[in-house]
Amino acid sequence: MTAIAITDTPVVGGVADVLQLVTAPVPRPSRHQVAIQLVASSMHVDEVYAAQGTALGRFFGPKDVSAASPYLMGSSVSGVVVAVGREVTRFKVGDEVIVIPNERGDSGSWATYRCVEQNYVMLKPPTLSHVEAAAATLSGCVAWGAIKIAQVEVGEHCLVVGASGAIGSLMVQFLKSKGAHVTGVCSGANAGLVNALGADDTIDYKHTDFGAQGRSTYDKVFDLVGGREVETAAYRTLKRKGRFITIVGPVRHIGERKLSWIELLLGVGHIVWRSIASRVWGPRYQFVASLPRHNAYAAMLSIAKHKIRSPIEAEIPFDLLEIQAAIKTLMSHRTRGRIVINFEADKQPGQTAIRSSSEMHLSGSFCQNNTQINQDMERL
């Protein structure tokens, strides 16, 4: 099979420079695995951090990488089952499936085939394209997990910092589906997108300090960017019994560089201290660390029920140069929605594989067999 892999240990910020197009054996499923032919895979900045050994500040870097032992990147999967292990009972050849992100950090999706444990596979909603499914899965899991922890109620005023990003764009829609009043923090250039997703108001962070609105403005603030300055601003606007929910923590864009052990311990200590102290003094501080497999089916049910749309910044072919360029775009932290690799792009004559941000599209609504999803939720 064809794969795009790291063939040498990268320096921080140099992952794109050590990617190579390689040929590898087609994997065979073990007894509990399904083999999937990929149709689409979305790209995540955390995959780049993992490859360069800076995920969560300094963890999960690949070991002993070489041309003879390449490291295959990519975690997102949407595709078709082409083989099943002898003890697989939930799926059959021909099923269109998506893969639930694995907390172990398993990778290997920048390749034409991949094997995955059946417990981390679910049927793709039938009216959702593979590209749309790949774009929505991880973002939906993270956004839904944060909202579940926040215990959002109807009529609450919620602020989403980073509302135009891949996770923020779904979070805005999830919050609206729960009857919340939503304000999105984004650049002025992205305000139209955030409003189209359902936000009641937007704040241009380049020109306005959202913390200047004063105490008791919001019931919940969702931080998808990170950094002490976001936390400080949020606490100037939260109600006494409000909640600050962060998926990043006190270090902005954690993973951008390898933190020292002191920096890492200080960051963890801040999260632990704020989580405990805020129970007494308020507003509540909550760091989201829920596992995707605990949220995947509920998130997909909500997407189906409320016609959630997934913004797609760019759709690119499975091509080395395109993926190298996309990594640089990811590292800019300016993407709106997801960049998605379409493995079938070069098989469709006349298709424009790459979309500029001005041509960004939103996936349409879809329906799902709720009985099948509920059965899968029970198994998980």
Side-chain angles (χ1 to χ4, degrees), residues 167-181:
I167 298 171
S169 58
L170 287 184
M171 184 169 284
V172 167
Q173 296 172 83
F174 281 142
L175 288 170
K176 289 303 299 178
S177 74
K178 287 185 169 294
H181 182 283

Side-chain angles (χ1 to χ4, degrees), residues 105-179:
D106 291 349
S107 63
S109 299
W110 293 0
T112 47
Y113 295 90
R114 182 178 170 188
C115 290
V116 183
E117 293 288 332
Q118 69 168 338
N119 287 340
Y120 287 92
V121 178
M122 63 181 290
L123 292 175
K124 180 182 72 65
T127 56
L128 194 67
S129 74
H130 285 287
V131 169
E132 292 164 343
T137 304
L138 178 60
S139 301
C141 289
V142 176
W144 186 263
I147 292 171
K148 181 172 65 176
I149 287 174
Q151 300 177 354
V152 175
E153 298 179 0
V154 175
E156 288 190 325
H157 285 246
C158 298
L159 183 78
V160 179
V161 183
S164 61
I167 298 171
S169 58
L170 287 184
M171 184 169 284
V172 167
Q173 296 172 83
F174 281 142
L175 288 170
K176 289 303 299 178
S177 74
K178 287 185 169 294

Side-chain angles (χ1 to χ4, degrees), residues 18-308:
V18 294
L19 284 177
Q20 296 290 333
L21 190 67
V22 302
T23 300
V26 175
R28 295 185 177 182
S30 66
R31 61 181 183 173
H32 295 297
Q33 290 184 327
V34 298
I36 302 170
Q37 181 176 4
L38 270 76
V39 179
S41 178
S42 63
M43 300 178 67
H44 314 139
V45 71
D46 287 338
E47 296 169 335
V48 180
Y49 295 157
Q52 66 185 18
T54 58
L56 297 180
R58 63 177 300 118
F59 295 108
F60 305 132
K63 309 296 183 184
D64 303 319
V65 180
S66 66
S69 180
Y71 171 80
L72 274 64
M73 291 180 60
S75 57
S76 171
V77 179
S78 183
V80 180
V81 175
V82 293
V84 299
R86 65 179 182 272
E87 295 187 22
V88 171
T89 58
R90 296 171 52 189
F91 304 98
K92 65 182 185 301
V93 172
D95 282 346
E96 295 188 335
V97 296
I98 55 179
V99 170
I100 301 166
N102 191 314
E103 61 269 16
R104 297 192 302 266
D106 291 349
S107 63
S109 299
W110 293 0
T112 47
Y113 295 90
R114 182 178 170 188
C115 290
V116 183
E117 293 288 332
Q118 69 168 338
N119 287 340
Y120 287 92
V121 178
M122 63 181 290
L123 292 175
K124 180 182 72 65
T127 56
L128 194 67
S129 74
H130 285 287
V131 169
E132 292 164 343
T137 304
L138 178 60
S139 301
C141 289
V142 176
W144 186 263
I147 292 171
K148 181 172 65 176
I149 287 174
Q151 300 177 354
V152 175
E153 298 179 0
V154 175
E156 288 190 325
H157 285 246
C158 298
L159 183 78
V160 179
V161 183
S164 61
I167 298 171
S169 58
L170 287 184
M171 184 169 284
V172 167
Q173 296 172 83
F174 281 142
L175 288 170
K176 289 303 299 178
S177 74
K178 287 185 169 294
H181 182 283
V182 181
T183 299
V185 178
C186 59
S187 68
N190 292 332
L193 169 65
V194 175
N195 285 326
L197 295 172
D200 299 283
D201 302 293
T202 58
I203 296 174
D204 183 351
Y205 71 88
K206 292 184 177 180
H207 299 98
T208 304
D209 174 15
F210 72 83
Q213 298 174 90
R215 179 70 71 182
S216 300
T217 302
Y218 299 106
D219 298 283
K220 309 283 166 61
V221 174
F222 294 89
D223 167 32
L224 312 180
V225 176
R228 297 283 185 91
E229 61 274 25
V230 171
E231 180 183 334
T232 300
Y235 271 81
R236 297 204 309 268
T237 68
L238 278 165
K239 297 177 181 179
R240 177 67 174 78
K241 294 184 178 181
R243 299 190 185 204
F244 175 74
I245 302 96
T246 178
I247 68 167
V248 184
V251 181
R252 174 170 290 201
H253 303 315
I254 189 170
E256 201 80 346
R257 61 186 180 88
K258 183 167 286 191
L259 303 180
S260 69
W261 281 108
I262 292 177
E263 289 175 307
L264 184 64
L265 290 172
L266 286 173
V268 172
H270 178 85
I271 292 171
V272 172
W273 164 247
R274 294 294 296 118
S275 298
I276 295 173
S278 66
R279 288 176 177 268
V280 178
W281 296 302
R284 184 83 175 272
Y285 179 103
Q286 293 180 291
F287 178 77
V288 176
S290 60
L291 301 179
R293 61 187 169 89
H294 291 163
N295 303 310
Y297 292 103
M300 296 308 290
L301 278 172
S302 183
I303 287 172
K305 180 179 179 180
H306 299 289
K307 303 178 182 179
I308 303 298

